[in-house]
Amino acid sequence: MSRPRSRRALTAVALTAVAALSFAACAATPDTENAAAEDDVATTATSVADFGSFEELETAAKAEGQLNVIALPRDWANYGEILDLFAERYPEIQINEQSPDVSSAEEITAAETNKGLDTAPDVFDLGLTVALQSTEHFAPYKVQTWDDIPDALKEPSGLFVGDYGGYMSVGFDSARFDAPAELADLLGDEYRGAVAINGDPTQAGAAFAAVGLASVQSGGSLDDFQPGIDFFTDLNKAGNMLKLDVTSATVASGETPVVFDWDYLNAAHKADLPTWETVVFDGIGYAGYYNQAINVDAPNPAAARLWQEFLYSDEVQNLWLKGGARPVRMEAMIEAGTIDEALAAALPETPAETVVPTEAQSTAAGELLGANWAAAVQ
């Protein structure tokens, strides 16, 4: 896993596009010239100001008429209600929900595979590790509420931006298991063949965070994920690690009865399985945010930017809260009086100490996992 690449790749794309437009202009009609100019504005816009106004952004997005999203399960952090609200507000824009259960890494693969096609994703929702290694795929954009987002949770030019987050937790079927009091409890015989993580930590943000939690709860740190890898090695050797992809269906059916996942995702399973409970271990808590980004080759660039503005609005930030996640603008909204106070008060208590990895720590941990994970749990 590499550090973020420079923006030279983005510049090269922009120069190539300009050159192509210059040659095409010789034979272009006024109408096609105007259309090309509008497309170029949408493709290169870094804020609403480039469109002239928010209303002009809406007009451009409606003219495109499509929005391709990927990796957005409807039961993930209230995405179903969020998608439906966007569709209600902008009936002129058809939302194409592609591959809702793929990993962050697979989102990038889909962009590469479908580059230049109408089916390419317009936007991404990514864990930090994959975002850091994929910046050449992103177009910089700053939403109108940019100043409300903490600096530590956004790439300075807007290539990717944190949006919602929570704490890594353990969910379990209380009808089958007692609540684990600490990480080491999961190594016991009663958890034989029962403990799953949500994906592959070299590709999926939730699984990466599970190893991070195991690290800080096992004497390691954000600078040293090896204790976390060692924990899962021990879990695997004990016969307790269950190598199944976690979904709402596997939880409801009992196939994955104990799950490492974000607290807001674990809490959501209670709707399908009333005996499902969620534990955030005492001591050091591991928190993280998922990031939004725009595909630099988005087939619907105006709709992609309108989607970003929508996600960072007060209304949708409160919908993350309704889904049990912590919106990135939460502190600013509390100060402004725009937060849903009842939903905020319903969030579980936070651990005594909270850690959130920096970009450098995530990059280093990703490199370590890439080198050691497969052998550790084979």
Side-chain angles (χ1 to χ4, degrees):
M1 185 171 300
S2 61
R3 295 185 181 276
R5 297 187 185 180
S6 71
R7 292 177 56 195
R8 292 179 183 173
L10 299 179
T11 304
V13 171
L15 290 174
T16 301
V18 170
L21 285 171
S22 298
F23 285 118
C26 297
T29 66
D31 285 344
T32 58
E33 285 179 352
N34 290 338
E38 290 174 3
D39 287 345
D40 188 52
V41 167
T43 299
T44 60
T46 58
S47 72
V48 161
D50 291 324
F51 290 92
S53 68
F54 180 72
E55 290 71 25
E56 288 173 284
L57 167 58
E58 290 180 309
T59 298
K62 291 174 184 178
E64 290 173 348
Q66 303 278 332
L67 174 68
N68 299 336
V69 300
I70 187 171
L72 305 186
R74 287 183 152 264
D75 58 357
W76 179 290
N78 205 25
Y79 253 125
E81 187 171 354
I82 290 167
L83 287 162
D84 290 344
L85 178 61
F86 186 86
E88 178 184 338
R89 183 159 301 166
Y90 299 108
E92 307 89 346
I93 303 173
Q94 178 178 322
I95 305 176
N96 303 310
E97 299 178 43
Q98 305 168 345
S99 305
D101 294 318
V102 300
S103 69
S104 294
E106 289 169 321
E107 294 182 57
I108 301 301
T109 299
E112 294 170 341
T113 302
N114 293 282
K115 183 177 180 178
L117 303 178
D118 291 342
T119 53
D122 288 307
V123 289
F124 305 109
D125 179 295
L126 305 155
L128 179 59
T129 306
V130 173
L132 287 169
Q133 67 176 0
S134 306
T135 52
E136 72 270 24
H137 292 285
F138 307 152
Y141 187 79
K142 296 183 179 181
V143 294
Q144 295 176 94
T145 52
W146 175 262
D147 290 343
D148 287 351
I149 302 167
D151 290 343
L153 296 175
K154 59 190 179 186
E155 193 278 332
S157 70
L159 287 175
F160 60 88
V161 186
D163 191 8
Y164 61 91
Y167 285 85
M168 184 48 48
S169 66
V170 172
F172 64 99
D173 184 353
S174 64
R176 297 171 58 180
F177 304 94
D178 292 332
E182 59 182 1
L183 188 73
D185 289 348
L186 299 175
L187 298 172
D189 289 342
E190 63 271 32
Y191 293 98
R192 186 67 53 86
V195 184
I197 61 174
N198 193 351
D200 180 334
T202 66
Q203 300 184 47
F208 177 93
V211 181
L213 174 66
S215 297
V216 299
Q217 289 267 328
S218 301
S221 69
L222 296 181
D223 294 312
D224 179 17
F225 266 41
Q226 189 59 52
I229 296 174
D230 293 342
F231 168 79
F232 282 103
T233 299
D234 293 341
L235 191 74
N236 190 47
K237 287 180 178 177
N240 293 8
M241 190 167 178
L242 185 58
K243 298 175 184 177
L244 285 178
D245 287 336
V246 178
T247 66
S248 294
T250 65
V251 170
S253 67
E255 293 176 88
T256 53
V258 182
V259 175
F260 279 90
D261 211 341
W262 297 110
D263 56 353
Y264 51 89
L265 299 184
N266 264 326
H269 294 312
K270 197 172 183 68
D272 297 318
L273 186 64
T275 54
W276 190 260
E277 301 293 342
T278 302
V279 171
V280 175
F281 292 130
D282 291 336
I284 302 176
Y286 184 103
Y289 283 78
Y290 277 84
N291 299 271
Q292 305 293 341
I294 296 170
N295 186 357
V296 71
D297 298 307
N300 305 291
R305 286 155 174 80
L306 181 62
W307 174 249
Q308 301 302 301
E309 295 287 355
F310 177 74
L311 292 180
Y312 290 92
S313 67
D314 286 352
E315 187 171 14
V316 177
Q317 291 283 291
N318 275 319
L319 288 180
W320 295 129
L321 196 57
K322 186 176 179 181
R326 291 163 173 79
V328 75
R329 293 181 52 234
M330 188 167 181
E331 292 303 319
M333 290 172 65
I334 290 172
E335 290 183 13
T338 57
I339 200 76
D340 187 314
E341 294 181 359
L343 292 175
L347 289 174
E349 291 187 19
T350 59
E353 181 181 352
T354 296
V355 293
V356 180
T358 65
E359 293 185 12
Q361 288 169 330
S362 292
T363 299
E367 291 171 350
L368 182 68
L369 282 164
N372 295 346
W373 177 256
V377 297
Q378 66 183 0

